[in-house]
Amino acid sequence: MKIKNIIIKLCLILVFTFSSTSIVYSKDVIKIGTLLPYSGVYTVLGEEITNAMILAFDEVNNSINGHIIELIKGDTEVKPNIALQKARKLISSDKVDILVGPVSSSVALAIRDIVVQSKTPLIIPNAGANVLTGKKCSKFITRISFSNYQINAPMGTWLAEHGIKSAFLLAPDYAAGKEMMAAFKITFEEAGGKILGEEYTPFRKTKDFGPYLARVKSSGADAVYVFYAGGEAINFIKQAYSFGLGEVMKLTGAGWTTSPLFIPAQKEAAIGFIGSLNYVPSINTDANKNFIKAYKSKFGRAPSEFAVQGYDSGKVIIEAIRSLSGSIKDKDKLAEAIRTISITGPRGPLTIDPKTNNVIQNIYIFEVVNGEQGPELKVLDTIEAVKAPGEGCNL
Ligand code: PHB
């Protein structure tokens, strides 16, 4: 009997020791779920964002106020329905504290409600869908990348003021492509420009841009205004070059089309493109130079604007948790800390518009020129402190 009691006691001690260790363990971990593309047309964008976020976490030895950072990756595959399943898993099974993602606007629209209903703070490191910091804004959603309007609206005015009188619009047929073209169209027409035609190419499926290029060319427009990213940007720019489009009209558009991430594959075909972005590698600050150096030494290549967005997401997470002295369980407080944090990143000081939760930032208008080390972005103009209009959002 005595021996039986001793055994029971020992078992109880073991159970308690084990379970209390696991409680301490889970309390000491901060779970960050990513909803990013690790396969499909935007794979390199997802990898770039993840790499740079890991770099930011490395800089604090993967620990914030005693919490070990655990990264749980969710591959959206750039498909809204898949992304929604992954979001459910990260929120309900993995019980992540913070989500970072996505890249695509349509994916962002698909996961918006589950994020808000579950009160999981979401940091958007890319997707530009306007309504997420507009009609469908939420204090649980903070966007440190851009809104589709914010990047493209300045280009309409700028091109019209720089001799472009007519344009043909070309973009992938999904939320981001449509919103970017619409933003450009508003300001271009306001400034007296004329749109001579527009085409939307099947998203994730178009490999041959030939038929579109022929229609763009025969429109007689002064410029083609495009948005492409990932594999589509590489294919489009190379095919437009072989087709000789740049000989009859100016190639212009949302700057990702000739991102420093794609230029190594596009090579001389990218030369002459005029675009707009929220970051250019030539920003002359210590924060930017140090970031470029650290990224190059860890990943063996120069970072792009996608990397900057990933790095800034990591930094915002670190500073938000520090501002709460490490207490992360109150989701309202965590979301509030994220949206009110300010950091200085490679882009410069990062300010979140309290009315919309969208980043306020400079927009750089650039031309791709032949530099000492190949094609590079030469800044033609800087439009300072651009905000997203955020219509319908009252935070
Ligand atoms: C988007 O879908 O919002 C998107 C994707 C890739 C970009 C920019 C925006 O480069």
Side-chain angles (χ1 to χ4, degrees):
M1 197 58 184
K2 253 190 168 174
I3 292 185
K4 204 175 164 195
N5 275 344
I6 290 170
I7 291 175
I8 289 172
K9 268 188 187 160
L10 272 175
C11 285
L12 282 174
I13 288 168
L14 270 176
V15 166
F16 275 118
T17 316
F18 189 78
S19 59
S20 65
T21 319
S22 66
I23 287 166
V24 169
Y25 175 73
S26 66
K27 206 175 89 194
D28 283 345
V29 166
I30 166 138
K31 291 188 183 179
I32 299 166
T34 67
L35 278 169
L36 291 166
Y38 300 110
S39 58
V41 70
Y42 288 160
T43 306
V44 279
L45 287 70
E47 284 169 356
E48 183 94 342
I49 292 168
T50 310
N51 280 349
M53 192 160 64
I54 289 174
L55 180 66
F57 294 152
D58 276 358
E59 285 175 5
V60 293
N61 295 322
N62 235 16
S63 155
I64 319 169
N65 284 82
H67 297 283
I68 304 294
I69 300 167
E70 187 186 342
L71 206 62
I72 308 176
K73 289 190 191 172
D75 179 6
T76 63
E77 302 174 28
V78 205
K79 294 177 183 154
N81 55 339
I82 301 283
L84 187 56
Q85 287 168 22
K86 300 283 169 71
R88 272 199 200 107
K89 175 194 164 277
L90 288 169
I91 293 169
S92 307
S93 317
D94 298 316
K95 304 208 182 317
V96 295
D97 299 292
I98 296 176
L99 280 169
V100 179
V103 159
S104 148
S105 283
S106 352
V107 167
L109 295 169
I111 62 161
R112 186 263 175 207
D113 286 352
I114 190 175
V115 163
V116 173
Q117 279 154 16
S118 65
K119 293 181 148 204
T120 312
L122 170 74
I123 298 178
I124 303 184
N126 193 74
N130 293 327
V131 290
L132 294 173
T133 50
K135 266 200 312 257
K136 291 194 160 200
C137 70
S138 156
K139 62 178 183 171
F140 290 98
I141 301 177
T142 303
R143 178 154 52 196
I144 61 99
S145 50
F146 53 84
S147 84
N148 291 328
Y149 185 91
Q150 194 180 23
I151 298 280
N152 292 275
M155 280 293 275
T157 320
W158 196 91
L159 286 177
E161 284 171 359
H162 288 80
I164 302 293
K165 302 215 162 357
S166 58
F168 194 104
L169 311 180
L170 191 65
D173 189 7
Y174 82 105
K178 293 279 178 62
E179 285 189 355
M180 293 193 204
M181 297 302 114
F184 171 79
K185 194 170 173 176
I186 291 172
T187 55
F188 187 61
E189 287 183 337
E190 263 171 20
K194 288 208 163 28
I195 302 294
L196 299 189
E198 54 195 294
E199 291 269 354
Y200 295 91
T201 56
F203 182 43
R204 298 188 282 120
K205 298 188 184 85
T206 308
K207 299 264 179 313
D208 175 12
F209 290 93
Y212 302 99
L213 289 168
R215 286 203 279 282
V216 171
K217 194 172 185 176
S218 67
S219 74
D222 291 341
V224 60
Y225 189 83
V226 299
F227 156 63
Y228 285 107
E232 291 189 333
I234 295 170
N235 287 340
F236 173 79
I237 288 292
K238 282 169 125 180
Q239 290 177 27
Y241 182 70
S242 312
F243 192 78
L245 195 63
E247 286 154 30
V248 294
M249 64 177 65
K250 199 73 198 152
L251 264 59
T252 69
W256 304 286
T257 314
T258 57
S259 164
L261 187 58
F262 316 136
I263 284 182
Q266 295 166 333
K267 301 193 176 73
E268 75 279 5
I271 305 282
F273 185 90
I274 294 183
S276 54
L277 276 178
N278 55 350
Y279 168 80
V280 282
S282 57
I283 292 173
N284 195 8
T285 60
D286 283 349
N288 186 38
K289 287 182 204 153
N290 293 340
F291 167 69
I292 293 177
K293 201 165 146 208
Y295 192 93
K296 269 188 186 159
S297 88
K298 190 165 170 73
F299 301 107
R301 62 163 198 255
S304 67
E305 63 287 350
F306 302 110
V308 170
Q309 293 164 177
Y311 185 71
D312 284 346
S313 302
K315 288 278 215 191
V316 165
I317 291 174
I318 295 163
E319 291 309 321
I321 294 170
R322 282 184 176 163
S323 77
L324 296 170
S325 307
S327 78
I328 51 173
K329 287 300 160 200
D330 184 329
K331 290 177 168 181
D332 289 274
K333 282 196 181 138
L334 186 53
E336 191 58 29
I338 289 172
R339 77 189 204 92
T340 45
I341 216 69
S342 67
I343 57 154
T344 297
R347 274 176 278 185
L350 195 106
T351 335
I352 307 293
D353 187 344
K355 289 205 193 91
T356 62
N357 271 8
N358 191 76
V359 59
I360 303 172
Q361 59 195 339
N362 291 352
I363 301 297
Y364 301 94
I365 299 191
F366 67 83
E367 178 164 10
V368 183
V369 297
N370 242 324
E372 274 167 23
Q373 280 147 45
E376 63 181 36
L377 311 190
K378 179 182 166 209
V379 176
L380 303 177
D381 223 331
T382 304
I383 323 285
E384 280 176 14
V386 179
K387 288 186 180 180
E391 276 156 39
C393 172
N394 280 311
L395 285 179

